[in-house]
């Protein structure tokens, strides 16, 4: 059995499930914590990090025991309000944090055990977009680490300014901006994912309800190739696109409003092929063994369904889930 960890909003904390070979979930415990809305794993150590998405903003480090028990270790100030995304650099030396409401990107050092040693840098974005109430200021929604011949780069996706700002991350954990890429005005970019083995990347347009295909013309610098509706139900209002995952030559994208996970084929171009019903407000999902595990926030449940369309979805009650992480 594998662990499935679910973060969410409110005081419940991280909910722990065990997953069977057939994808069934069994509740195995809870680690109490305030609004762990995003969870990410360390690339090499039995550690995970939770973004405590509150007005004060915090990050909690958690050790995963061999038994599957979670132990909370350190809680630090995130450097801004409403942290909504975390990522660890590939070398495991730094933790990146996107502070949504403050429009800032923070960097934290990690020691050899994965413990947080302190904040090494904090940059604030300035700007706005055309959507009143959603783009009145910068809103960093995701930090995507990568590498090139010169070392680590970090691309920050800014929903408020319709930009992707890329930085070089120094060995001391300092950010140095070197590229700014734009998406169509009013897109409201939420997430970015690179397609391995190609120069293509895909950007989730939360506000426009679109999938933006981009080419990485040089590391950290992107140009728009195509803009595609996020789902067959493109006339649904609102259509707030949420999460994206790649699985080989297929891309999966969740949309709130239509409440579905849309499957795209990527060759020769991003083309929607089917909408999978997902439960209400599919904020996040994860893929494993031909199954999709959806954090259906407004259903207070994890919805699990087979991607091949066989069988009926299963539903596992979970308060206000927002993130699903396999351990």
């Amino acid at each position: 059995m594998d662990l499935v960890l679910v973060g969410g909003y409110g005081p419940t904390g991280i909910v722990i499930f065990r997953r069977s070979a057939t994808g069934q979930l069994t509740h195995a415990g809870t680690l109490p914590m305030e609004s762990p809305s995003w969870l990410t794993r360390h690339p090499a150590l039995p550690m995970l990090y939770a973004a405590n998405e509150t007005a004060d903003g915090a990050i909690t480090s958690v050790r995963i025991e061999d038994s599957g028990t979670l132990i909370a270790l350190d809680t630090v100030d995130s450097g801004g309000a409403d942290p909504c995304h975390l990522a660890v650099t590939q070398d495991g030396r730094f933790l990146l944090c996107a502070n949504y409401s403050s429009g800032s990107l923070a960097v934290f050092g990690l020691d050899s055990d994965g413990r947080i040693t302190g904040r090494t840098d904090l940059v604030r974005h300035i700007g706005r977009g055309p959507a009143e109430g959603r783009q009145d200021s910068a809103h960093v929604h995701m930090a995507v680490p990568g590498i090139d011949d010169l070392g680590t780069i970090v691309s920050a996706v800014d929903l408020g300014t319709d930009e992707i700002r890329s930085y070089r991350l120094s060995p001391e954990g300092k950010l140095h901006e070197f590229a700014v890429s734009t998406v169509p005005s009013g897109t409201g970019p939420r997430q970015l994912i690179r397609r391995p083995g190609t120069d293509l990347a895909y950007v989730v347009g939360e506000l426009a309800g679109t999938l933006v295909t981009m080419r990485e013309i040089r590391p950290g610098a992107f140009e728009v190739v195509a803009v595609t509706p996020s789902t067959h139900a493109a006339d649904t209002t609102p259509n707030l696109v949420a999460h994206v995952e790649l699985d080989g030559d297929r891309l999966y994208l969740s949309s709130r409003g239509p409440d579905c996970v849309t499957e795209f084929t990527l060759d020769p171009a991003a083309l929607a092929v089917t909408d999978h019903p997902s439960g209400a407000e599919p904020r996040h999902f994860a893929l494993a063994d031909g199954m999709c595990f959806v954090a259906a926030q407004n259903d207070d449940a994890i919805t699990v369904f087979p991607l091949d369309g066989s069988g009926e979805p299963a539903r596992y009650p979970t308060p206000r889930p927002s993130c699903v992480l396999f351990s």
Side-chain angles (χ1 to χ4, degrees), residues 135-199:
Q135 292 186 309
D136 295 337
S137 63
H139 294 302
V140 180
H141 211 298
M142 189 179 203
V144 184
I147 56 173
D148 66 5
D149 293 340
L150 298 178
T152 300
I153 59 176
V154 179
S155 297
V157 182
D158 197 316
L159 183 147
T161 65
D162 289 324
E163 294 173 330
I164 301 165
R165 291 185 172 267
S166 291
Y167 301 85
R168 292 210 173 278
L169 182 63
S170 75
E172 297 73 36
K174 300 297 182 182
L175 294 167
H176 303 278
E177 184 182 303
F178 70 91
V180 180
S181 308
T182 60
V183 295
S185 181
T187 293
R190 178 184 175 93
Q191 294 187 355
L192 178 149
I193 189 169
R194 292 180 171 95
R195 185 179 181 187
T198 76
D199 60 358

Short mmCIF file of all heavy atoms in Angstrom, two decimals, residues 135-199:
data_model
loop_
_atom_site.label_atom_id
_atom_site.label_comp_id
_atom_site.label_asym_id
_atom_site.label_seq_id
_atom_site.Cartn_x
_atom_site.Cartn_y
_atom_site.Cartn_z
N GLN A 135 -6.82 41.00 -10.74
CA GLN A 135 -5.50 41.42 -11.25
C GLN A 135 -5.18 42.86 -10.88
O GLN A 135 -4.53 43.57 -11.62
CB GLN A 135 -5.44 41.23 -12.77
CG GLN A 135 -5.47 39.79 -13.22
CD GLN A 135 -5.27 39.65 -14.72
OE1 GLN A 135 -5.93 40.31 -15.52
NE2 GLN A 135 -4.33 38.79 -15.12
N ASP A 136 -5.65 43.27 -9.69
CA ASP A 136 -5.37 44.64 -9.24
C ASP A 136 -3.92 44.80 -8.77
O ASP A 136 -3.44 45.92 -8.60
CB ASP A 136 -6.32 45.03 -8.10
CG ASP A 136 -7.77 45.09 -8.55
OD1 ASP A 136 -7.99 45.27 -9.77
OD2 ASP A 136 -8.66 44.95 -7.71
N SER A 137 -3.25 43.68 -8.54
CA SER A 137 -1.85 43.70 -8.12
C SER A 137 -1.23 42.36 -8.50
O SER A 137 -1.91 41.46 -9.01
CB SER A 137 -1.72 43.94 -6.61
OG SER A 137 -2.33 42.88 -5.89
N ALA A 138 0.07 42.24 -8.23
CA ALA A 138 0.77 40.99 -8.52
C ALA A 138 0.27 39.87 -7.62
O ALA A 138 -0.05 40.09 -6.44
CB ALA A 138 2.27 41.18 -8.34
N HIS A 139 0.20 38.65 -8.17
CA HIS A 139 -0.20 37.46 -7.40
C HIS A 139 0.64 36.28 -7.89
O HIS A 139 0.28 35.61 -8.86
CB HIS A 139 -1.68 37.16 -7.59
CG HIS A 139 -2.61 38.19 -7.03
ND1 HIS A 139 -2.61 38.55 -5.70
CD2 HIS A 139 -3.57 38.95 -7.62
CE1 HIS A 139 -3.52 39.48 -5.48
NE2 HIS A 139 -4.11 39.74 -6.64
N VAL A 140 1.75 36.03 -7.22
CA VAL A 140 2.59 34.90 -7.60
C VAL A 140 1.87 33.61 -7.20
O VAL A 140 1.50 33.41 -6.04
CB VAL A 140 3.97 34.96 -6.92
CG1 VAL A 140 4.82 33.76 -7.34
CG2 VAL A 140 4.67 36.26 -7.30
N HIS A 141 1.63 32.73 -8.19
CA HIS A 141 0.84 31.52 -7.94
C HIS A 141 1.67 30.24 -7.97
O HIS A 141 1.24 29.21 -7.46
CB HIS A 141 -0.30 31.42 -8.94
CG HIS A 141 -1.51 30.73 -8.39
ND1 HIS A 141 -1.50 29.43 -7.95
CD2 HIS A 141 -2.77 31.19 -8.17
CE1 HIS A 141 -2.70 29.11 -7.50
NE2 HIS A 141 -3.48 30.15 -7.61
N MET A 142 2.86 30.30 -8.57
CA MET A 142 3.66 29.08 -8.68
C MET A 142 5.11 29.42 -8.90
O MET A 142 5.41 30.42 -9.56
CB MET A 142 3.14 28.22 -9.84
CG MET A 142 3.75 26.82 -9.94
SD MET A 142 3.05 25.89 -11.32
CE MET A 142 3.36 24.21 -10.80
N ALA A 143 6.01 28.61 -8.36
CA ALA A 143 7.44 28.74 -8.61
C ALA A 143 7.94 27.42 -9.18
O ALA A 143 7.79 26.37 -8.55
CB ALA A 143 8.19 29.07 -7.32
N VAL A 144 8.48 27.48 -10.40
CA VAL A 144 8.89 26.26 -11.11
C VAL A 144 10.40 26.23 -11.22
O VAL A 144 11.00 27.03 -11.95
CB VAL A 144 8.26 26.23 -12.52
CG1 VAL A 144 8.60 24.90 -13.21
CG2 VAL A 144 6.75 26.42 -12.44
N PRO A 145 11.07 25.32 -10.50
CA PRO A 145 12.53 25.23 -10.61
C PRO A 145 12.96 24.47 -11.85
O PRO A 145 12.24 23.59 -12.35
CB PRO A 145 12.93 24.48 -9.34
CG PRO A 145 11.74 23.63 -9.02
CD PRO A 145 10.53 24.41 -9.49
N GLY A 146 14.13 24.80 -12.35
CA GLY A 146 14.72 24.11 -13.48
C GLY A 146 16.22 24.28 -13.44
O GLY A 146 16.76 24.91 -12.51
N ILE A 147 16.91 23.72 -14.42
CA ILE A 147 18.36 23.87 -14.48
C ILE A 147 18.79 24.12 -15.92
O ILE A 147 18.09 23.76 -16.87
CB ILE A 147 19.10 22.63 -13.93
CG1 ILE A 147 18.67 21.36 -14.69
CG2 ILE A 147 18.87 22.47 -12.44
CD1 ILE A 147 19.46 20.13 -14.31
N ASP A 148 19.93 24.79 -16.07
CA ASP A 148 20.58 24.92 -17.36
C ASP A 148 22.08 24.81 -17.14
O ASP A 148 22.53 24.43 -16.05
CB ASP A 148 20.17 26.21 -18.08
CG ASP A 148 20.64 27.47 -17.37
OD1 ASP A 148 21.38 27.37 -16.35
OD2 ASP A 148 20.30 28.58 -17.82
N ASP A 149 22.87 25.17 -18.14
CA ASP A 149 24.32 25.01 -18.02
C ASP A 149 24.92 25.89 -16.94
O ASP A 149 26.03 25.62 -16.45
CB ASP A 149 24.99 25.34 -19.36
CG ASP A 149 24.65 24.31 -20.43
OD1 ASP A 149 24.24 23.20 -20.06
OD2 ASP A 149 24.79 24.63 -21.62
N LEU A 150 24.18 26.95 -16.54
CA LEU A 150 24.71 27.88 -15.55
C LEU A 150 24.20 27.59 -14.14
O LEU A 150 24.57 28.28 -13.20
CB LEU A 150 24.36 29.32 -15.95
CG LEU A 150 24.96 29.80 -17.28
CD1 LEU A 150 24.50 31.22 -17.59
CD2 LEU A 150 26.48 29.72 -17.25
N GLY A 151 23.32 26.60 -14.01
CA GLY A 151 22.83 26.26 -12.68
C GLY A 151 21.31 26.32 -12.58
O GLY A 151 20.60 26.10 -13.56
N THR A 152 20.83 26.63 -11.38
CA THR A 152 19.39 26.58 -11.10
C THR A 152 18.70 27.85 -11.58
O THR A 152 19.16 28.97 -11.33
CB THR A 152 19.15 26.40 -9.60
OG1 THR A 152 19.75 25.16 -9.18
CG2 THR A 152 17.66 26.36 -9.28
N ILE A 153 17.56 27.66 -12.25
CA ILE A 153 16.70 28.78 -12.60
C ILE A 153 15.34 28.56 -11.94
O ILE A 153 14.94 27.44 -11.65
CB ILE A 153 16.54 28.94 -14.13
CG1 ILE A 153 15.95 27.67 -14.75
CG2 ILE A 153 17.85 29.29 -14.78
CD1 ILE A 153 15.68 27.79 -16.24
N VAL A 154 14.63 29.66 -11.68
CA VAL A 154 13.30 29.61 -11.06
C VAL A 154 12.38 30.49 -11.89
O VAL A 154 12.67 31.67 -12.10
CB VAL A 154 13.34 30.12 -9.60
CG1 VAL A 154 11.94 30.08 -9.00
CG2 VAL A 154 14.30 29.29 -8.76
N SER A 155 11.28 29.92 -12.36
CA SER A 155 10.29 30.67 -13.14
C SER A 155 9.05 30.86 -12.27
O SER A 155 8.41 29.89 -11.87
CB SER A 155 9.94 29.95 -14.43
OG SER A 155 11.08 29.85 -15.27
N ALA A 156 8.71 32.12 -11.98
CA ALA A 156 7.58 32.46 -11.13
C ALA A 156 6.39 32.85 -12.00
O ALA A 156 6.47 33.77 -12.80
CB ALA A 156 7.94 33.60 -10.19
N VAL A 157 5.27 32.13 -11.83
CA VAL A 157 4.06 32.38 -12.61
C VAL A 157 3.20 33.38 -11.84
O VAL A 157 2.79 33.12 -10.71
CB VAL A 157 3.28 31.07 -12.83
CG1 VAL A 157 2.05 31.31 -13.67
CG2 VAL A 157 4.19 30.02 -13.48
N ASP A 158 2.92 34.54 -12.47
CA ASP A 158 2.21 35.62 -11.79
C ASP A 158 0.83 35.82 -12.41
O ASP A 158 0.68 36.35 -13.51
CB ASP A 158 3.02 36.92 -11.88
CG ASP A 158 2.54 37.96 -10.87
OD1 ASP A 158 1.32 38.14 -10.75
OD2 ASP A 158 3.40 38.60 -10.22
N LEU A 159 -0.21 35.38 -11.67
CA LEU A 159 -1.59 35.50 -12.14
C LEU A 159 -2.02 36.96 -12.27
O LEU A 159 -2.81 37.29 -13.15
CB LEU A 159 -2.52 34.74 -11.18
CG LEU A 159 -4.00 34.68 -11.50
CD1 LEU A 159 -4.61 33.36 -11.04
CD2 LEU A 159 -4.78 35.84 -10.86
N GLY A 160 -1.50 37.82 -11.40
CA GLY A 160 -1.94 39.21 -11.39
C GLY A 160 -1.39 40.06 -12.51
O GLY A 160 -2.05 41.01 -12.96
N THR A 161 -0.20 39.74 -13.01
CA THR A 161 0.45 40.58 -14.02
C THR A 161 0.54 39.94 -15.39
O THR A 161 1.10 40.55 -16.32
CB THR A 161 1.89 40.95 -13.56
OG1 THR A 161 2.69 39.75 -13.50
CG2 THR A 161 1.88 41.61 -12.19
N ASP A 162 0.01 38.72 -15.55
CA ASP A 162 0.07 37.99 -16.83
C ASP A 162 1.52 37.80 -17.29
O ASP A 162 1.84 37.95 -18.47
CB ASP A 162 -0.72 38.72 -17.93
CG ASP A 162 -2.23 38.64 -17.71
OD1 ASP A 162 -2.71 37.60 -17.23
OD2 ASP A 162 -2.93 39.63 -18.01
N GLU A 163 2.38 37.42 -16.34
CA GLU A 163 3.81 37.28 -16.64
C GLU A 163 4.38 35.99 -16.05
O GLU A 163 3.86 35.45 -15.07
CB GLU A 163 4.61 38.45 -16.07
CG GLU A 163 4.31 39.79 -16.70
CD GLU A 163 5.01 40.92 -15.97
OE1 GLU A 163 5.23 40.81 -14.74
OE2 GLU A 163 5.33 41.93 -16.63
N ILE A 164 5.49 35.57 -16.65
CA ILE A 164 6.36 34.55 -16.07
C ILE A 164 7.72 35.21 -15.89
O ILE A 164 8.37 35.58 -16.88
CB ILE A 164 6.48 33.32 -16.97
CG1 ILE A 164 5.10 32.70 -17.21
CG2 ILE A 164 7.42 32.28 -16.34
CD1 ILE A 164 5.06 31.72 -18.34
N ARG A 165 8.14 35.39 -14.66
CA ARG A 165 9.42 36.03 -14.36
C ARG A 165 10.42 34.95 -13.95
O ARG A 165 10.17 34.17 -13.04
CB ARG A 165 9.28 37.07 -13.24
CG ARG A 165 8.50 38.29 -13.68
CD ARG A 165 8.47 39.38 -12.61
NE ARG A 165 7.86 40.59 -13.16
CZ ARG A 165 8.53 41.58 -13.72
NH1 ARG A 165 9.86 41.52 -13.77
NH2 ARG A 165 7.90 42.62 -14.21
N SER A 166 11.55 34.93 -14.64
CA SER A 166 12.56 33.90 -14.37
C SER A 166 13.79 34.50 -13.70
O SER A 166 14.21 35.62 -14.03
CB SER A 166 12.96 33.19 -15.67
OG SER A 166 11.88 32.40 -16.16
N TYR A 167 14.32 33.74 -12.77
CA TYR A 167 15.45 34.17 -11.95
C TYR A 167 16.54 33.11 -11.97
O TYR A 167 16.26 31.92 -12.12
CB TYR A 167 15.00 34.37 -10.49
CG TYR A 167 13.90 35.37 -10.28
CD1 TYR A 167 12.57 35.00 -10.41
CD2 TYR A 167 14.19 36.68 -9.93
CE1 TYR A 167 11.55 35.91 -10.21
CE2 TYR A 167 13.18 37.61 -9.72
CZ TYR A 167 11.86 37.22 -9.86
OH TYR A 167 10.84 38.13 -9.67
N ARG A 168 17.77 33.56 -11.81
CA ARG A 168 18.85 32.64 -11.48
C ARG A 168 18.96 32.58 -9.97
O ARG A 168 18.91 33.59 -9.28
CB ARG A 168 20.17 33.12 -12.09
CG ARG A 168 20.18 33.03 -13.59
CD ARG A 168 21.57 32.79 -14.17
NE ARG A 168 21.44 32.56 -15.62
CZ ARG A 168 21.11 31.40 -16.16
NH1 ARG A 168 20.91 30.36 -15.36
NH2 ARG A 168 20.99 31.27 -17.45
N LEU A 169 19.11 31.37 -9.47
CA LEU A 169 19.25 31.14 -8.04
C LEU A 169 20.71 30.86 -7.74
O LEU A 169 21.27 29.86 -8.21
CB LEU A 169 18.37 29.97 -7.60
CG LEU A 169 18.36 29.64 -6.12
CD1 LEU A 169 17.79 30.79 -5.30
CD2 LEU A 169 17.54 28.36 -5.86
N SER A 170 21.33 31.73 -6.97
CA SER A 170 22.75 31.60 -6.68
C SER A 170 22.98 30.49 -5.65
O SER A 170 22.05 30.06 -4.96
CB SER A 170 23.31 32.92 -6.14
OG SER A 170 22.89 33.11 -4.79
N PRO A 171 24.21 30.02 -5.52
CA PRO A 171 24.52 29.00 -4.50
C PRO A 171 24.19 29.47 -3.08
O PRO A 171 24.04 28.64 -2.18
CB PRO A 171 26.02 28.76 -4.67
CG PRO A 171 26.29 29.12 -6.11
CD PRO A 171 25.38 30.28 -6.39
N GLU A 172 24.09 30.79 -2.89
CA GLU A 172 23.74 31.33 -1.58
C GLU A 172 22.23 31.50 -1.40
O GLU A 172 21.77 31.97 -0.35
CB GLU A 172 24.43 32.69 -1.37
CG GLU A 172 25.95 32.64 -1.35
CD GLU A 172 26.55 32.42 -2.73
OE1 GLU A 172 26.00 32.95 -3.72
OE2 GLU A 172 27.57 31.70 -2.83
N GLY A 173 21.46 31.14 -2.43
CA GLY A 173 20.00 31.24 -2.33
C GLY A 173 19.44 32.60 -2.67
O GLY A 173 18.33 32.94 -2.24
N LYS A 174 20.17 33.38 -3.48
CA LYS A 174 19.71 34.70 -3.89
C LYS A 174 19.12 34.64 -5.31
O LYS A 174 19.63 33.91 -6.17
CB LYS A 174 20.84 35.72 -3.86
CG LYS A 174 21.47 35.91 -2.48
CD LYS A 174 20.47 36.45 -1.48
CE LYS A 174 21.12 36.68 -0.12
NZ LYS A 174 20.14 37.17 0.89
N LEU A 175 18.06 35.40 -5.54
CA LEU A 175 17.37 35.43 -6.82
C LEU A 175 17.83 36.62 -7.65
O LEU A 175 17.88 37.75 -7.15
CB LEU A 175 15.86 35.52 -6.61
CG LEU A 175 15.20 34.30 -5.95
CD1 LEU A 175 13.78 34.64 -5.52
CD2 LEU A 175 15.19 33.11 -6.90
N HIS A 176 18.15 36.38 -8.93
CA HIS A 176 18.58 37.43 -9.84
C HIS A 176 17.74 37.33 -11.12
O HIS A 176 17.90 36.38 -11.89
CB HIS A 176 20.06 37.29 -10.16
CG HIS A 176 20.95 37.30 -8.94
ND1 HIS A 176 21.34 38.45 -8.32
CD2 HIS A 176 21.47 36.26 -8.22
CE1 HIS A 176 22.10 38.15 -7.27
NE2 HIS A 176 22.19 36.83 -7.19
N GLU A 177 16.84 38.29 -11.33
CA GLU A 177 15.94 38.24 -12.47
C GLU A 177 16.70 38.39 -13.78
O GLU A 177 17.59 39.22 -13.90
CB GLU A 177 14.90 39.35 -12.36
CG GLU A 177 13.84 39.32 -13.45
CD GLU A 177 12.86 40.46 -13.33
OE1 GLU A 177 12.21 40.59 -12.26
OE2 GLU A 177 12.73 41.24 -14.30
N PHE A 178 16.31 37.57 -14.79
CA PHE A 178 16.98 37.68 -16.08
C PHE A 178 16.04 37.59 -17.27
O PHE A 178 16.45 37.84 -18.40
CB PHE A 178 18.08 36.62 -16.22
CG PHE A 178 17.58 35.21 -16.37
CD1 PHE A 178 17.34 34.66 -17.63
CD2 PHE A 178 17.34 34.42 -15.26
CE1 PHE A 178 16.88 33.36 -17.77
CE2 PHE A 178 16.88 33.11 -15.39
CZ PHE A 178 16.65 32.59 -16.65
N ALA A 179 14.75 37.24 -17.05
CA ALA A 179 13.83 37.15 -18.18
C ALA A 179 12.40 37.38 -17.69
O ALA A 179 12.02 36.92 -16.60
CB ALA A 179 13.93 35.80 -18.88
N VAL A 180 11.61 38.08 -18.52
CA VAL A 180 10.18 38.27 -18.27
C VAL A 180 9.43 37.89 -19.53
O VAL A 180 9.68 38.44 -20.60
CB VAL A 180 9.85 39.72 -17.88
CG1 VAL A 180 8.34 39.86 -17.63
CG2 VAL A 180 10.63 40.15 -16.64
N SER A 181 8.53 36.92 -19.43
CA SER A 181 7.72 36.47 -20.56
C SER A 181 6.26 36.80 -20.27
O SER A 181 5.82 36.73 -19.12
CB SER A 181 7.87 34.97 -20.78
OG SER A 181 9.24 34.60 -20.85
N THR A 182 5.50 37.14 -21.31
CA THR A 182 4.10 37.52 -21.13
C THR A 182 3.18 36.52 -21.82
O THR A 182 3.54 35.86 -22.79
CB THR A 182 3.83 38.92 -21.68
OG1 THR A 182 4.14 38.95 -23.08
CG2 THR A 182 4.70 39.96 -20.96
N VAL A 183 1.96 36.43 -21.29
CA VAL A 183 0.88 35.67 -21.91
C VAL A 183 -0.20 36.66 -22.30
O VAL A 183 -0.16 37.83 -21.90
CB VAL A 183 0.34 34.60 -20.94
CG1 VAL A 183 1.41 33.56 -20.63
CG2 VAL A 183 -0.17 35.23 -19.65
N PRO A 184 -1.19 36.27 -23.11
CA PRO A 184 -2.23 37.21 -23.52
C PRO A 184 -2.89 37.90 -22.33
O PRO A 184 -3.14 37.29 -21.29
CB PRO A 184 -3.22 36.32 -24.28
CG PRO A 184 -2.36 35.23 -24.85
CD PRO A 184 -1.33 34.96 -23.80
N SER A 185 -3.17 39.18 -22.49
CA SER A 185 -3.74 39.99 -21.42
C SER A 185 -5.03 39.37 -20.89
O SER A 185 -5.90 38.98 -21.64
CB SER A 185 -4.03 41.40 -21.95
OG SER A 185 -4.57 42.22 -20.93
N GLY A 186 -5.11 39.29 -19.55
CA GLY A 186 -6.30 38.73 -18.91
C GLY A 186 -6.28 37.22 -18.78
O GLY A 186 -7.25 36.63 -18.29
N THR A 187 -5.18 36.58 -19.17
CA THR A 187 -5.07 35.13 -19.04
C THR A 187 -5.14 34.68 -17.58
O THR A 187 -5.80 33.70 -17.24
CB THR A 187 -3.76 34.62 -19.68
OG1 THR A 187 -3.82 34.82 -21.09
CG2 THR A 187 -3.54 33.13 -19.40
N GLY A 188 -4.45 35.41 -16.71
CA GLY A 188 -4.38 34.99 -15.31
C GLY A 188 -3.64 33.68 -15.15
O GLY A 188 -4.20 32.69 -14.68
N PRO A 189 -2.34 33.62 -15.54
CA PRO A 189 -1.60 32.35 -15.47
C PRO A 189 -1.49 31.84 -14.04
O PRO A 189 -1.18 32.58 -13.12
CB PRO A 189 -0.23 32.72 -16.04
CG PRO A 189 -0.10 34.20 -15.80
CD PRO A 189 -1.49 34.75 -15.94
N ARG A 190 -1.77 30.55 -13.88
CA ARG A 190 -1.81 29.94 -12.55
C ARG A 190 -0.68 28.93 -12.36
O ARG A 190 -0.04 28.90 -11.31
CB ARG A 190 -3.17 29.25 -12.37
CG ARG A 190 -3.35 28.51 -11.06
CD ARG A 190 -4.70 27.80 -11.05
NE ARG A 190 -4.90 26.98 -9.85
CZ ARG A 190 -5.49 27.40 -8.75
NH1 ARG A 190 -5.98 28.62 -8.67
NH2 ARG A 190 -5.64 26.58 -7.71
N GLN A 191 -0.43 28.09 -13.36
CA GLN A 191 0.59 27.06 -13.27
C GLN A 191 1.31 26.94 -14.60
O GLN A 191 0.78 27.30 -15.65
CB GLN A 191 -0.03 25.70 -12.91
CG GLN A 191 -0.64 25.65 -11.53
CD GLN A 191 -1.09 24.25 -11.16
OE1 GLN A 191 -1.02 23.31 -11.95
NE2 GLN A 191 -1.52 24.08 -9.92
N LEU A 192 2.54 26.41 -14.53
CA LEU A 192 3.35 26.13 -15.71
C LEU A 192 3.96 24.76 -15.54
O LEU A 192 4.45 24.41 -14.47
CB LEU A 192 4.42 27.19 -15.89
CG LEU A 192 5.42 27.03 -17.05
CD1 LEU A 192 5.86 28.39 -17.56
CD2 LEU A 192 6.65 26.20 -16.66
N ILE A 193 3.94 23.97 -16.63
CA ILE A 193 4.59 22.66 -16.61
C ILE A 193 5.35 22.47 -17.91
O ILE A 193 4.84 22.76 -18.99
CB ILE A 193 3.54 21.54 -16.40
CG1 ILE A 193 4.22 20.19 -16.17
CG2 ILE A 193 2.53 21.48 -17.55
CD1 ILE A 193 3.26 19.11 -15.68
N ARG A 194 6.61 22.02 -17.81
CA ARG A 194 7.43 21.75 -18.99
C ARG A 194 7.17 20.33 -19.48
O ARG A 194 6.98 19.41 -18.67
CB ARG A 194 8.91 21.92 -18.68
CG ARG A 194 9.35 23.35 -18.39
CD ARG A 194 10.84 23.39 -18.10
NE ARG A 194 11.35 24.75 -18.02
CZ ARG A 194 11.49 25.43 -16.88
NH1 ARG A 194 11.13 24.86 -15.72
NH2 ARG A 194 11.98 26.66 -16.89
N ARG A 195 7.21 20.15 -20.81
CA ARG A 195 7.09 18.82 -21.38
C ARG A 195 8.49 18.24 -21.57
O ARG A 195 9.28 18.77 -22.37
CB ARG A 195 6.34 18.85 -22.71
CG ARG A 195 6.08 17.45 -23.27
CD ARG A 195 5.33 17.50 -24.58
NE ARG A 195 5.08 16.14 -25.05
CZ ARG A 195 4.55 15.84 -26.23
NH1 ARG A 195 4.21 16.83 -27.06
NH2 ARG A 195 4.37 14.59 -26.58
N PRO A 196 8.83 17.18 -20.85
CA PRO A 196 10.18 16.61 -20.94
C PRO A 196 10.55 16.22 -22.36
O PRO A 196 9.72 15.73 -23.14
CB PRO A 196 10.10 15.37 -20.04
CG PRO A 196 8.98 15.66 -19.09
CD PRO A 196 7.99 16.46 -19.88
N GLY A 197 11.83 16.45 -22.70
CA GLY A 197 12.34 16.08 -24.00
C GLY A 197 11.97 17.01 -25.13
O GLY A 197 12.29 16.74 -26.30
N THR A 198 11.32 18.12 -24.82
CA THR A 198 10.94 19.11 -25.82
C THR A 198 11.26 20.50 -25.31
O THR A 198 11.68 20.68 -24.16
CB THR A 198 9.44 19.05 -26.15
OG1 THR A 198 8.68 19.68 -25.09
CG2 THR A 198 8.96 17.62 -26.31
N ASP A 199 11.03 21.53 -26.15
CA ASP A 199 11.17 22.90 -25.71
C ASP A 199 9.81 23.53 -25.41
O ASP A 199 9.67 24.75 -25.33
CB ASP A 199 11.91 23.75 -26.76
CG ASP A 199 11.19 23.78 -28.10
OD1 ASP A 199 10.14 23.11 -28.25
OD2 ASP A 199 11.69 24.48 -29.01
#
